[in-house]
Amino acid sequence: MHSSGIAEKAVEVLRERERQRFAERNPRSLALAERARHSLFGGVPMHWMSDWSTPVPLFVQRAQGARFFDVDGHEYVDFCLGDTGSMFGHSPAPIASALREQAGNGLTTMLPGEDAVVCGELLAERFGLPYWQVATTATDANRFVLRWARAITGRKVILVFDGCYHGTVDEAMVRVREGHTVHRPGLIGQARNLTQHSRAVPFNDLAALEAALAPGDVAAVLCEPAMTNIGMVLPEPGFLAAVRELTRRVGSLLIIDETHTISTGPGGCTRAWNLEPDFVTLGKPVAGGVPCSVYGCSAEMAQAMQLARQHASEMNHGHGHSGMGTTLSANALAMHCMRANLEQVMTAAAYEHMLAQAARLAAGLRTLIGKHRLPWSVTELGARCEFQFCATPPKNGAEAEAAFHDSLQMALHLFLINRGILITPFHNMTLCCPDTRAADVDRLLACLDEALAELLAIPGAREA
């Protein structure tokens, strides 16, 4: 029995109907999928693009604002927004303009321009951390900060929360099972034992965190202020303040990954909740959809980083290699776009609109859940919200995972796609951008209402 309260047989009936509907209305996507099989591994340029609810990938032709069009000419309202990569909408006008401006002025030079200085100043102002570095992806930013943390503390262990998401950083590819840190299921090509230098504990569990920090060997705690990838999990009151106090007490650093939680406001949860981290990392939307990421640090960390560099040079009898940075990091194109994004797109006014629409959506979801008498709940975090197949919002990754009903989620997502609405795959998360309209929110709610009514009308749909 699923906590969703929906019987599997009913889910399969609905899903099969929707699979047939998709095939009938998307002949060009089907043809491209067949063609792609012969040149792209798995038929897609990145393997997870085939993990959506559709029978074959939905091929996109163009996107603008809160909408995109597929190759069959269908228009969609997009509440996925590249899973945060396009959090401020697809191709915002200032970003499109910045791309045109920089196109003829050099794309990458390995040297800084004025844009870099302005970006550093704007980031410091937003997050309250004075010094910044630029990378290409959030994975890069997290990986580089972990190197700094180990160099500064002289420790090797990294602590993460069970069910966390920090890109593809090795240290985060662990879970908690029966109180022990184990490898995350599904890892491919894993050569070394990650549990030697990674430790995972449940989110919102202060006792487990304190015990994991007690040996004094943890270089840093790497965490999202709220979990966003195992199903959304919010911190309980006082939890993050206690994390900060505990890490300081044992000499471990605190790294806050705002890549998803930047949906909360212009300075993320770091500024909104006064988290006082040693480092902050941020990727995906920071340059308006152009690949770019950043990490910031306190003045104390900047001084410690300088000492670590000096020590490494002395030990290696020369400049050596830090193990950080790629040639395209902080390229001129990305920096110009990030400056435009910070100055003109990622504004307080944009957030005010986004948060209002997300609140409207969350309220509507709660009304729908009540109307259909379902044991589900809704979690909100700024511009994003999620409906989850459990009666009360989960408190940790294990509870969020226990509420999964993958086939039900896939069937509902496919129903929405077939009617021109996209939400984030892999769970039921939505994101509102500056271009999201009240009518878009109402359309999503009406469509989900229709899906639930049709599902619950199937005989035996409700589990006893």
Side-chain angles (χ1 to χ4, degrees), residues 55-141:
V56 301
L58 182 68
F59 284 82
V60 177
Q61 186 174 68
R62 60 187 176 91
Q64 176 69 54
R67 284 161 175 71
F68 72 89
F69 295 82
D70 68 19
V71 292
D72 286 286
H74 304 122
E75 180 180 345
Y76 298 80
V77 179
D78 191 358
F79 288 92
C80 172
L81 298 167
D83 190 19
T84 309
S86 295
M87 190 175 93
F88 303 104
H90 298 289
S91 297
I95 304 303
S97 178
L99 287 166
R100 287 191 295 269
E101 289 168 4
Q102 195 63 34
N105 291 323
L107 305 182
T108 186
T109 61
M110 283 185 67
L111 291 166
E114 183 183 15
D115 288 333
V117 180
V118 174
C119 286
E121 292 168 348
L122 292 171
L123 289 164
E125 180 183 338
R126 283 168 181 265
F127 289 91
L129 291 168
Y131 297 108
W132 292 82
Q133 290 280 272
V134 180
T136 305
T137 69
T139 295
D140 287 340

Side-chain angles (χ1 to χ4, degrees), residues 405-449:
H405 187 166
D406 292 339
S407 58
L408 172 59
Q409 166 203 294
M410 299 278 269
L412 292 175
H413 288 209
L414 183 53
F415 189 102
L416 294 174
I417 287 171
N418 281 337
R419 288 151 186 84
I421 295 173
L422 196 77
I423 67 174
T424 304
F426 321 131
H427 47 132
N428 301 310
M429 194 164 67
T430 64
L431 187 58
C432 293
C433 75
D435 194 54
T436 304
R437 308 161 192 166
D440 298 333
V441 170
D442 294 345
R443 181 177 164 191
L444 168 55
L445 292 169
C447 193
L448 185 58
D449 188 15

Side-chain angles (χ1 to χ4, degrees), residues 79-210:
F79 288 92
C80 172
L81 298 167
D83 190 19
T84 309
S86 295
M87 190 175 93
F88 303 104
H90 298 289
S91 297
I95 304 303
S97 178
L99 287 166
R100 287 191 295 269
E101 289 168 4
Q102 195 63 34
N105 291 323
L107 305 182
T108 186
T109 61
M110 283 185 67
L111 291 166
E114 183 183 15
D115 288 333
V117 180
V118 174
C119 286
E121 292 168 348
L122 292 171
L123 289 164
E125 180 183 338
R126 283 168 181 265
F127 289 91
L129 291 168
Y131 297 108
W132 292 82
Q133 290 280 272
V134 180
T136 305
T137 69
T139 295
D140 287 340
N142 282 320
R143 187 181 293 122
F144 302 161
V145 169
L146 293 183
R147 280 187 174 271
W148 283 122
R150 284 170 165 150
I152 290 166
T153 63
R155 302 173 179 181
K156 294 182 178 180
V157 176
I158 303 299
L159 189 146
V160 296
F161 290 105
D162 182 46
C164 66
Y165 179 69
H166 301 291
T168 56
V169 172
D170 278 6
E171 286 86 348
M173 295 295 169
V174 291
R175 296 295 308 272
V176 175
R177 291 291 183 265
E178 298 179 357
H180 299 286
T181 300
V182 300
H183 282 188
R184 181 173 170 173
L187 274 185
I188 291 174
Q190 187 59 49
R192 63 185 177 90
N193 182 0
L194 298 177
T195 65
Q196 289 183 347
H197 298 124
S198 292
R199 199 168 294 158
V201 299
F203 196 63
N204 281 321
D205 189 335
L206 283 176
L209 176 62
E210 189 166 14

Side-chain angles (χ1 to χ4, degrees), residues 268-400:
C269 296
T270 295
R271 204 61 186 263
W273 299 348
N274 192 31
L275 299 182
E276 300 182 9
D278 298 296
F279 290 92
V280 161
T281 60
L282 170 62
K284 288 189 182 179
V286 72
V290 174
C292 189
S293 67
V294 296
Y295 61 94
C297 67
S298 67
E300 182 183 1
M301 288 301 104
Q303 185 177 9
M305 290 156 70
Q306 190 62 41
L307 290 173
R309 285 187 67 182
Q310 181 180 335
H311 178 69
S313 295
E314 291 171 353
M315 291 292 290
N316 295 317
H317 307 291
H319 177 64
H321 197 291
S322 67
M324 297 176 230
T326 56
T327 308
L328 292 177
S329 293
N331 67 76
L333 181 66
M335 298 308 299
H336 198 56
C337 290
M338 178 161 58
R339 177 177 178 175
N341 195 54
L342 292 171
E343 288 182 331
Q344 303 174 60
V345 180
M346 198 174 167
T347 64
Y351 274 101
E352 185 178 356
H353 175 85
M354 294 159 64
L355 269 59
Q357 296 309 318
R360 180 188 185 94
L361 178 52
L365 289 171
R366 291 189 177 99
T367 298
L368 270 187
I369 289 167
K371 172 184 175 180
H372 292 285
R373 298 181 291 111
L374 292 165
W376 301 355
S377 56
V378 177
T379 302
E380 297 177 71
L381 185 69
R384 69 178 78 236
C385 67
E386 179 175 19
F387 62 94
Q388 292 164 288
F389 303 138
C390 49
T392 57
K395 294 182 179 180
N396 55 51
E399 288 184 10

